């Protein structure tokens, strides 16, 4: 059975991976939108709007994944520490 510390570490690593992927995705969206804007100024506005919508969807997804990992870690902690754990 895993220890409390192992569960905590695994959850934190996964949360960092989620937010790193969010950052990388956001930067890629920014670079693509900026490149489109430079080469076609009229189409750039459309690219900027699409990038903004995709960034919002990416942010919502990352937050939901973060919350799901927190809930999962809490369930696992309760299993390791027992049902009477107050957290």
């Amino acid at each position: 059975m895993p220890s409390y510390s192992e569960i905590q570490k695994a959850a934190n690593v996964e949360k960092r991976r989620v937010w790193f992927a969010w950052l990388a995705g956001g930067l890629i969206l920014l670079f693509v939108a900026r490149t489109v804007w430079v080469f076609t100024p009229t189409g750039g506005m459309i690219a900027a709007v699409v990038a903004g919508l995709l960034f919002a969807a990416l942010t919502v997804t990352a937050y939901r994944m973060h919350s799901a990992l927190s809930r999962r870690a809490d369930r696992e902690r309760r299993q390791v520490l027992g049902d009477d754990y107050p957290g």
Side-chain angles (χ1 to χ4, degrees):
M1 182 186 312
S3 70
Y4 174 80
S5 176
E6 291 171 352
I7 292 170
Q8 187 81 16
K9 287 176 187 174
N12 286 337
V13 167
E14 289 301 317
K15 287 178 187 178
R16 280 190 216 108
R17 286 180 181 171
V18 165
W19 289 110
F20 180 75
W22 171 82
L23 179 64
L27 288 174
I28 290 169
L29 282 172
L30 178 67
F31 295 151
V32 168
R34 182 66 182 154
T35 302
V36 170
W37 189 288
V38 166
F39 289 118
T40 59
T42 54
M45 182 58 96
I46 295 169
V49 169
V50 169
L53 292 173
L54 287 174
F55 183 74
L58 188 65
T59 301
V60 168
T61 302
Y63 179 75
R64 291 187 67 195
M65 289 175 71
H66 181 93
S67 297
L69 282 168
S70 294
R71 287 190 304 272
R72 182 177 176 196
D74 190 45
R75 272 195 315 268
E76 295 295 326
R77 277 191 292 266
R78 285 180 187 276
Q79 203 172 39
V80 168
L81 298 176
D83 290 334
D84 58 345
Y85 175 66

